[in-house]
Amino acid sequence: MPRPLVLVLGDQLTPALASLRDLPEDAVVALCEVAAEGRYVPHHPQKIALMLSAMRHFAQALRERGLCVHYSALDDPDNAQALVPEAERLAALYGCDEIRAVRPGEWRLWQAMREREHAALPWRLLEDDRFFTTPADFGAWMQGRKAPRMEHFYRQQRRRTGLLMEDGQPAGGRWNYDHDNREPLPEALEIPEPPRHRRDAVTEEVLALVAEHFGEHFGRLEGFHWPVTRRQALVDLRHFLARLLPDFGRYQDAIRDDAPFLFHSRLSAALNLGLLSSREVCEAAEREYREGRAPLNSVEGFIRQILGWREYVRGLYWTRMPDYKRGNALNAEGDLPACYWSGDTELRCLSRAIEMTRDNAYAHHIQRLMVTGNVALLCDVSPEALCDWYLAVYADACEWVELPNTLGMVLHADGGLMGSKPYCASGKYIDRMSDHCRHCRYDPRRVTGPDACPLNSLYWRFLERHAETLSANPRMKLIYGSLARMGDAKRSAMREQAEAFLAALPRSSAWRQAGDEPERRRHLAGYVSVPSEETP
Ligand code: FAD
Ligand code: DLZ
C-alpha cells in the first residue's frame, strides 16, 4: 500500500484540492511554514501573516476531519526552511514512498518539483483543477491565434460555463457593459466599511511571529483584518454581494483620496489562497442579478474580472513561462523610484496609493494600473524591478497573476499579449477619475513650469520615446495625431521638463524601511518587543 506525503502549499487551502481527494488511509498531509517563501521577495508582513494564519487554521480543519497532518512551524528547530527540502525531510521521517503536490502558483517552484519527479523519492505532480480552465485548455484556445484577446477568450468562457447566458446569447444582449462602468464617485457618497474579523489566538500568535521575523519588511501589521478561514471569507463574500456589488460596476474605475477599497470586493486574497472558489463567487454574483438585487453592468463587470481576466492571465503565465518573464518590449531599464518603499513623493496620487498599500497590503485595480503602474511605465522602470515590488506588497500577490498584470498590462513588456496598447495616462486622467489633484501641489492642467503635474510631460515624453513601436497602433492614432500637431518649441519644453524630473527622481531597489527604526517600533508595538535604542 503506497504511503504518500501530500504537500499542501499556503495558497492551496481547500479540501477540494486534487491531492486531498481520494487519499489513501495512511497518507500524511504536510503544511510547511518556511522562511524561504517569506523572503524570496520581501513580502508585506500582512501577506505573510495571512498566509501563515490561514495555513494553521486549515491544518486544524483537516485534523478535525480525521486526517494525519504534519505542520512544520516556522521556528521548529528541524525545519529545512525551504519547501522542497522540507517536504523530502518529512517524507523520510514518516517513511513515505512518494510526495504528491498540486501545481503551485509559481514557475520557480514548479520547476524545482519537476526536477524531482524521477528522484529516488519521486514527486507526483497533479493539475490544479480549482480554475475554470487548465493551462492545457488555454494552450488549445491559443492555437493558431495571431492576436489573442481576452475579450474573445471571455466570450468562449461564458458560452462554456453558461454564466450570464440566455438561450445561447449573452444576458441583456451584450457581452460587455464596460461602457457603463466609468463614473467618477460623487463627493458625498458613503462607502461601506469592510468587515473586521475577530483575531483569535492563532492569528495573534502569527502576528507576533511575523513581527519578530519579518518586521523589517515594508508594510504595517496593525491594520490586519484579512479573512483567515473559509467562514470569514464567506462573511466577506456576503458583505460584497449585499453592500458593494450593486455599485461595483459604475464606480469600478474611480479613485478616491481617502478610501482604499471603494466598491471593490477585496476577495482576491481569499480566492488565491483557496478559501473561496472562483466558480462559487461567480455563481453567487449571477444569482444577485437573476434575483433582481444587482444590475447587469455590475454583475457582468465582476464576472468578467474572474472568468475573463483571472483565467486569461493564468493561461498566459503557464503557456508562456519561462520566456514571458524575460519580456521587455519597451526596453525599460530603470530602477524603482525610492518612494515606492516610503510614499515620500509630492505626487499625491502616488503617495496615497503607496500609503494605502503599506497600511492594507491592498490597492484596488485602478490604483495598481493607473497610478503605481502608470508612473512606473512613464519613468522607464524595468519589468524585473516593478514585478518584484508588486509581488512583495499585496496580500493577493502570486506570480501567476501578478506577472502578466505587471509585465504585460502595465509595462506592455510582452509586446501586446495582455493589452493591445499601453495604459499610459497623463495627470488629466487622474484628475478626471479621482479627487487626488485637489490635494496635490501640482496642477494637472499644466504641462510645463514649476507647478505642472509631472505626469503630463512624462506622458508626452513616453509617447515620443516609443513612437516607432506605438504610433502605428490603430488605438493610438488619435494621440499620436495630437503629438504631431504640437510645435517643436512646445515639444522640446515638455521633453526638458520630463527629463529634469527623471534626473532628480531618487531611485532605489533597497526595500528596507531604512532609517525608520522609531517608526517601525511604533507600528510593531503590541506584537513584539523590539529593543529600544534608548534602553541600555
Ligand atoms: P475586484 O475589483 O473586486 O475584482 C474582483 C476579482 O476579479 C478580484 O478579486 C480578482 O480575483 C479578479 N481580478 C480583477 N482584475 C483582475 C486582473 N487584472 N487579473 C486577474 N484577476 C483579476 N490580482 C491578484 O489576485 N494578485 C496579484 O498579484 C495581482 N497583481 C496585479 C498587479 C498589477 C500591476 C495589476 C494592474 C493588477 C494586479 N492584480 C492582481 C489584479 C487586480 O488588481 C486585483 O485582483 C484586484 O485589485 C484585487 O482586488 P479585489 O479583490 O477588490 O478586486
Ligand atoms: C507567500 C507564502 C509565504 C509567505 N509563506 C509560505 C509558507 O511558509 N509555506 C507555504 O507553503 N507557502 C507560503 N507562501 C505561498 C507560496 O509562496 C506559494 O505557494 C508559492 O509561491 C506558489 O504559489
Side-chain angles (χ1 to χ4, degrees):
M1 190 69 171
R3 182 171 213 211
L5 182 102
V6 176
L7 175 67
V8 176
L9 302 178
D11 50 3
Q12 300 181 337
L13 307 181
T14 168
L17 196 71
S19 58
L20 291 176
R21 300 196 299 255
D22 310 321
L23 274 183
E25 218 167 85
D26 60 352
V28 180
V29 178
L31 288 100
C32 308
E33 296 178 359
V34 293
E37 290 304 305
R39 293 201 193 284
Y40 71 100
V41 290
H43 296 296
H44 194 298
Q46 285 194 30
K47 175 182 179 183
I48 304 177
L50 164 64
M51 194 70 69
L52 303 194
S53 178
M55 284 171 69
R56 289 180 181 204
H57 282 95
F58 185 65
Q60 188 52 34
L62 292 180
R63 280 195 195 104
E64 282 161 16
R65 286 170 170 240
L67 298 183
C68 167
V69 178
H70 179 100
Y71 195 89
S72 299
L74 195 66
D75 42 17
D76 284 351
D78 297 335
N79 191 325
Q81 300 297 356
L83 285 170
V84 170
E86 180 62 359
E88 294 186 348
R89 182 182 77 82
L90 297 178
L93 190 70
Y94 285 93
C96 297
D97 47 17
E98 68 170 22
I99 297 174
R100 290 186 196 167
V102 165
R103 182 194 288 267
E106 303 198 357
W107 177 267
R108 67 186 165 88
L109 268 181
W110 177 238
Q111 273 305 90
M113 291 174 181
R114 277 196 354 195
E115 280 166 16
R116 313 288 296 153
E117 268 180 314
H118 303 291
L121 179 68
W123 283 67
R124 189 140 76 83
L125 301 178
L126 308 176
E127 192 45 271
D128 189 344
D129 53 13
R130 292 177 295 159
F131 294 83
F132 287 100
T133 45
T134 62
D137 296 333
F138 189 82
W141 179 82
M142 283 285 266
Q143 276 287 301
R145 281 174 201 268
K146 287 209 178 75
R149 286 284 156 257
M150 194 291 289
E151 185 63 30
H152 302 144
F153 170 77
Y154 166 61
R155 290 181 189 183
Q156 192 231 31
Q157 290 307 301
R158 291 269 297 276
R159 288 197 185 93
R160 207 168 67 89
T161 58
L163 280 164
L164 289 182
M165 295 297 289
E166 285 160 5
D167 301 327
Q169 295 303 313
R174 273 158 54 195
W175 290 104
N176 183 318
Y177 290 81
D178 231 6
H179 196 69
D180 305 342
N181 289 355
R182 291 182 190 145
E183 286 184 40
L185 279 167
E187 212 163 294
L189 188 71
E190 211 174 290
I191 297 154
E193 283 293 314
R196 303 244 150 208
H197 301 293
R198 191 179 66 84
R199 294 176 186 168
D200 63 6
V202 173
T203 299
E204 288 294 353
E205 193 181 330
V206 163
L207 289 168
L209 185 81
V210 170
E212 190 75 52
H213 289 270
F214 306 98
E216 78 279 21
H217 290 192
F218 164 85
R220 293 179 176 174
L221 261 183
E222 72 261 40
F224 184 94
H225 52 267
W226 292 102
V228 294
T229 60
R230 173 158 170 80
R231 188 189 289 252
Q232 291 181 341
L234 285 171
V235 169
D236 281 10
L237 173 59
R238 282 193 288 271
H239 170 80
F240 171 67
L241 296 172
R243 307 286 311 277
L244 306 172
L245 179 61
D247 289 313
F248 172 86
R250 60 173 147 168
Y251 303 129
Q252 201 179 347
D253 281 3
I255 313 179
R256 199 157 102 177
D257 197 79
D258 64 354
F261 310 120
L262 302 177
F263 292 90
H264 294 276
S265 68
R266 288 174 65 258
L267 293 177
S268 50
L271 279 164
N272 295 351
L273 259 63
L275 302 179
L276 296 173
S277 88
S278 48
R279 189 176 295 272
E280 76 179 324
V281 167
C282 288
E283 287 174 357
E286 179 176 27
R287 232 175 358 258
E288 295 304 296
Y289 163 63
R290 299 276 179 217
E291 295 175 12
R293 291 186 292 270
L296 185 53
N297 66 307
S298 278
V299 174
E300 187 282 313
F302 180 72
I303 288 180
R304 175 154 30 88
Q305 304 313 313
I306 297 179
L307 180 64
W309 281 113
R310 190 167 184 268
E311 296 286 318
Y312 190 75
V313 300
R314 184 166 182 272
L316 275 186
Y317 181 79
W318 284 113
T319 54
R320 297 291 162 134
M321 280 294 279
D323 292 348
Y324 196 81
K325 202 169 174 171
R326 292 191 276 269
N328 192 359
L330 297 181
N331 298 315
E333 300 293 350
D335 213 339
L336 198 68
C339 64
Y340 277 59
W341 297 118
S342 65
D344 185 12
T345 165
E346 289 186 305
L347 280 164
R348 177 75 181 190
C349 52
L350 186 60
S351 72
R352 288 302 291 135
I354 293 166
E355 285 162 4
M356 289 178 192
T357 300
R358 178 198 62 198
D359 295 348
N360 305 314
Y362 178 92
H364 61 71
H365 184 67
I366 301 304
Q367 290 176 306
R368 298 188 204 194
L369 182 64
M370 302 310 296
V371 181
T372 44
N374 182 47
V375 172
L377 174 74
L378 300 185
C379 294
D380 309 322
V381 176
S382 76
E384 194 185 349
L386 193 65
C387 289
D388 277 359
W389 185 79
Y390 277 105
L391 193 54
V393 301
Y394 293 115
D396 59 29
C398 194
E399 196 178 75
W400 66 264
V401 51
E402 173 276 322
L403 188 73
N405 271 297
T406 310
L407 186 146
M409 195 184 282
V410 162
L411 294 181
H412 206 65
D414 64 2
L417 270 176
M418 267 293 279
S420 54
K421 74 174 196 52
Y423 285 86
C424 51
S426 68
K428 289 187 189 115
Y429 170 90
I430 301 291
D431 195 27
R432 195 166 60 248
M433 296 312 294
S434 80
D435 59 348
H436 286 312
C437 303
R438 89 171 72 126
H439 305 277
C440 187
R441 92 142 185 85
Y442 295 116
D443 183 344
R445 290 157 306 181
R446 290 178 189 274
V447 182
T448 53
D451 296 331
C453 172
L455 297 182
N456 292 335
S457 54
L458 287 170
Y459 173 73
W460 292 110
R461 171 192 173 273
F462 174 85
L463 291 174
E464 271 196 332
R465 188 170 133 82
H466 298 294
E468 208 177 300
T469 323
L470 301 176
S471 61
N473 184 325
R475 294 191 62 201
M476 302 203 65
K477 276 238 145 61
L478 216 62
I479 199 66
Y480 273 103
S482 305
L483 183 63
R485 283 191 297 278
M486 275 180 203
D488 283 349
K490 189 170 177 188
R491 277 171 76 151
S492 90
M494 289 190 314
R495 208 175 302 131
E496 263 173 44
Q497 175 103 7
E499 294 301 345
F501 177 84
L502 289 175
L505 182 69
R507 300 197 188 232
S508 167
S509 52
W511 50 266
R512 278 165 200 274
Q513 298 180 50
D516 210 10
E517 269 306 293
E519 174 86 342
R520 184 185 147 223
R521 240 177 278 123
R522 195 161 64 74
H523 288 293
L524 296 180
Y527 299 117
V528 65
S529 57
V530 181
S532 151
E533 275 152 15
E534 292 84 43
T535 319

